[in-house]
Amino acid sequence: LIDPSFYVNVSAAYDLVLTEEIDGFSITHTLEATGTRLNVGYKRINSTAPQFFERLDLGWNLAAIPDNATIQAMNLTLYATSLGNTSNQNVSAVNMAKNWTQHSTTLSYWTDAGDGKVYTTTSFLSAGFHTYNLINASDDFQMNLTRDFWDVGLYSPSGENIQGNGITNRIYAPSENTNASRRPVLSVTYTFAANETDGDDAIAQGISDSLPSAVIHNEQQVYTRNSA
């Protein structure tokens, strides 16, 4: 049997860090494309230091995948250079309603990266390669194939809920990392409906090319069927 599935690795079009900083009565929200590291989770050095709630937006260009594709499997792989405290062990991948060009405020953008449908919540006990199974995102992913872009948010529900002092967040390698093997990758397995007209034309041309001058005997007749 011929496996009809296709497999493609998609590189991140952009990866952005969204931060809510609470310092006393002051609350600020910032957007950063660091180019050096992707912070996710809760961070506070001590009781007098500001609190940081950091989330990620990972955006993907889907032009390499047909608009009529049916997703069979999806996995997001990130490389953790630092695991952070156990408070931030659980990281959730969530649906994002908008991308970075569509949000009117940084607050709405930060909120979007942590309040959507949860695709998976995964716990990791060591640094290195972390893989998130995103098969639950396949419906949202397929709906975005026609516009060729899709975003997924990451945040730590455990870190943001536990909080506390002396806590460090997780750090992932960004798309600009000098080691290409550590850059974010979205691996997608899919099938899609072939164009029957093109397929029929290819078969007819193949027959014509393979028998340019041969005589077709009675027992070698070729039949075609019109499905209309």
Side-chain angles (χ1 to χ4, degrees):
L1 296 177
I2 299 176
D3 185 354
S5 301
F6 294 83
Y7 178 86
V8 63
N9 282 332
V10 183
S11 299
Y14 51 83
D15 40 27
L16 305 172
V17 180
L18 300 153
T19 303
E20 178 178 82
E21 179 182 349
I22 301 178
D23 189 0
F25 294 102
S26 174
I27 301 177
T28 57
H29 295 88
T30 57
L31 163 65
E32 187 177 10
T34 65
T36 57
R37 61 187 194 171
L38 301 175
N39 302 335
V40 60
Y42 174 84
K43 180 177 72 174
R44 193 180 199 188
I45 303 304
N46 55 54
S47 59
T48 61
Q51 296 172 282
F52 296 92
F53 300 80
E54 295 180 299
R55 300 175 175 181
L56 299 179
D57 172 23
L58 304 176
W60 311 90
N61 187 321
L62 310 181
I65 303 175
D67 291 348
N68 63 340
T70 299
I71 306 305
Q72 304 297 315
M74 289 176 56
N75 289 289
L76 168 64
T77 300
L78 302 171
Y79 186 88
T81 58
S82 176
L83 188 65
N85 285 79
T86 56
S87 299
N88 291 308
Q89 276 186 0
N90 292 334
V91 172
S92 294
V94 302
N95 173 58
M96 293 193 65
K98 300 178 180 179
N99 63 29
W100 72 277
T101 65
Q102 299 170 316
H103 282 283
S104 58
T105 68
T106 308
L107 170 58
S108 69
Y109 196 2
W110 178 86
T111 302
D112 192 14
D115 72 343
K117 172 186 175 182
V118 177
Y119 297 134
T120 183
T121 300
T122 307
S123 178
F124 299 97
L125 302 179
S126 62
F129 289 103
H130 292 175
T131 298
Y132 295 82
N133 185 341
L134 297 183
I135 189 59
N136 289 333
S138 58
D139 288 344
D140 294 328
F141 186 87
Q142 287 177 190
M143 287 191 296
N144 282 279
L145 287 175
T146 54
R147 72 182 187 95
D148 287 339
F149 268 91
W150 178 69
D151 289 61
V152 60
L154 265 70
Y155 83 109
S156 174
S158 58
E160 293 189 8
N161 290 331
I162 295 173
Q163 302 180 27
N165 302 317
I167 296 177
T168 56
N169 53 10
R170 184 172 305 172
I171 301 174
Y172 283 125
S175 56
E176 297 90 345
N177 194 278
T178 55
N179 186 338
S181 68
R182 296 185 176 184
R183 297 170 185 169
V185 173
L186 183 66
S187 302
V188 182
T189 302
Y190 65 91
T191 59
F192 72 99
N195 186 307
E196 293 185 9
T197 299
D198 290 346
D200 291 344
D201 290 345
I203 293 171
Q205 186 62 51
I207 294 172
S208 176
D209 292 343
S210 63
L211 299 171
S213 60
V215 176
I216 299 178
H217 300 283
N218 290 335
E219 65 273 17
Q220 295 175 313
Q221 295 181 50
V222 179
Y223 296 89
T224 60
R225 180 171 64 88
N226 187 341
S227 58

